[in-house]
Amino acid sequence: MSEIAPLGKLKDWFYRVEYQQRGSPHIHMLIWLENAPVFGVDKDEDVNFIDQIITCRKPDNDTELFDLVNRQTHRHSHTCRKNSKKVSRFNYPQPPMRSTQILHPLDDNASETVIRARKELWKNIKNKLNDLKEGEDVTFDQLLKELDVSEYQYILAIRSSLNCPTIFLKRSPNELRINNYNPACLQAWRANMDIQFVLDVYACAMYIVSYISKAQKGMSDLLRNACAEAKEGNSTIKQQVRDIGNKFLNSVEISAQEAVYLILQLPMRKSSRNVVFINTSPPSDRVELLKPLSEIEKMSDESEEIHSGGLLKQYVERPDSLKHITLADCAAWYDSSGLNKYKKSVKKSDIDNLPLEDEDENNDDDLGVQNTESCVSSKKSIKKRSQARIIRSVWFNKESQPGKHYRELIMLFTPWRNEQVDLMGAYSSFQEHYEARRDEISDQMQEYAVCSEDLNEIQHHLQECDDDAYDTIAPVTQDTERRDENEGNTDTHPDLNETYDVSEDL
């Protein structure tokens, strides 16, 4: 990572590349910073921290930065008017502020008359801000005087429009339409950006699950319908695969930029941590890999150990010194490796010169390491990692599959050896077992499944979420996409627009 650290020292990060309507790539990124204040806990530090890394000011004596900030300026078009209303769907212009503040919604104990009056005042303020020309030389005090309100009344009017705590940056009246940026990042990136300090974990989860994955929503629906149509046709399995493949290939459109990414095998997503999947389905529902045929042929005819094992087997066969760790602990913190006293630790970097973990990034369940000539023993050891993995599992829904849900919690967050016996224990149901160990499981979930219930709710509502919900999550990107869509989908190469039949290549 850069030694300049314009945002501070990075603790963790994740990004994904997405493509706009005209094909231009843009990046959605989440960053965790060391020693960053926690909203609601470090109350005195929030605003100072935000002011250090985020701004919307117009630079005075830096021509290069001034030109870049112009790219950060929102310019109204008919695409940002929702249902022909005068108000921008992207919440521009932003209200000027004397200093950066985190404002909360009004208290519920205010009377309807007072709330109505403050909402009406906010409407007048918005109209006044809409009438101000970009760059108009008006001070904050002059604006208050023209509105004939005090700063206290002005703040209350803004709060009347809020549904949740919201950050308002220090902003002059001539900076109404400048989007948030970090000066050093903007000069390095040299393209528009939108940087926000996360106040709400739920909102952050909403961003991750919905906005970052929204491009796959339509394709998932299309393939789901294609599968249903293929099954209804009473055709062979081979023909069903062909039909689904044709549907997919003839419905995917990619830009030249995305094609370059794919051809050069540039990463579409990257993160500072590995992710491991734990198959928490019951054994009867679980799909497992078979051992190589060469190994099976050497086994006795009575042996039933034909599966290659993997993470679950590693956990069951863990040494007695680790008998108290849970499956979640094992997956997140421990690796199985061959003993090799000659192996040297080598720090590796990826194509972007970002540090890679020194473990194999293959997230398959099989954690075994094949022996090489330099190994002195065929035995395997379990070693603790310096950085935990992110764990994923099936995560059964509590309402629709309560038995599997509670079984999964016990399987992940309590120690066990025999899956068939220990998960039920001496109890009559998995839920009863869970209730008896609720505190123990809750402590583990605080470490490994902090937002699990919120994510379930978000995923449940994801199918019902329309594009309007993203306007306030990523306004700059949404504005650009809507302008692209408005220009239409002109086919510049009609001679190449033919239907492809995958069966010719099968």
Side-chain angles (χ1 to χ4, degrees), residues 329-344:
D329 291 327
C330 181
W333 285 104
Y334 293 90
D335 282 324
S336 174
S337 62
L339 294 174
N340 184 359
K341 66 179 182 180
Y342 302 108
K343 185 176 180 181
K344 295 182 179 180

Side-chain angles (χ1 to χ4, degrees), residues 314-327:
Q314 172 197 332
Y315 177 69
V316 170
E317 297 177 354
R318 67 193 184 278
D320 289 339
S321 59
L322 299 177
K323 65 180 180 180
H324 296 300
I325 70 170
T326 66
L327 178 57

Side-chain angles (χ1 to χ4, degrees), residues 246-247 249-251 494-502 504:
N246 284 332
K247 195 78 170 180
L249 290 173
N250 291 304
S251 300
D495 53 318
L496 300 179
N497 189 15
E498 59 183 27
T499 300
Y500 173 73
D501 188 355
V502 70
E504 296 177 1

Side-chain angles (χ1 to χ4, degrees), residues 403-441:
K404 290 183 178 180
H405 170 77
Y406 291 113
R407 179 189 180 279
E408 181 177 34
L409 296 183
I410 297 167
M411 183 177 181
L412 286 172
F413 304 125
T414 65
W416 53 271
R417 287 281 188 183
N418 188 320
E419 183 178 358
Q420 301 289 358
V421 176
D422 297 342
L423 298 189
M424 180 67 76
Y427 301 91
S428 60
S429 68
F430 293 118
Q431 183 172 356
E432 184 182 347
H433 189 178
Y434 165 79
E435 294 295 344
R437 307 179 73 170
R438 177 192 290 268
D439 293 341
E440 176 186 351
I441 293 173

Side-chain angles (χ1 to χ4, degrees), residues 167-178:
I167 299 170
F168 291 89
L169 295 179
K170 179 181 179 180
R171 187 186 298 267
S172 299
N174 66 346
E175 299 165 341
L176 299 176
R177 297 172 179 85
I178 297 177

Side-chain angles (χ1 to χ4, degrees), residues 56-60 66 69-70 73 134-135 174-175 178 181:
C56 61
R57 67 176 179 84
K58 277 190 174 181
D60 297 325
F66 182 86
V69 170
N70 279 336
T73 303
E134 182 61 34
N174 66 346
E175 299 165 341
I178 297 177
Y181 70 93

Side-chain angles (χ1 to χ4, degrees), residues 378-394:
S378 61
K379 295 181 180 179
K380 294 183 179 181
S381 65
I382 293 181
K383 62 179 182 179
K384 191 168 184 178
R385 299 163 58 90
S386 59
Q387 185 182 51
R389 293 186 184 94
I390 303 298
I391 63 171
R392 294 177 56 240
S393 64
V394 179

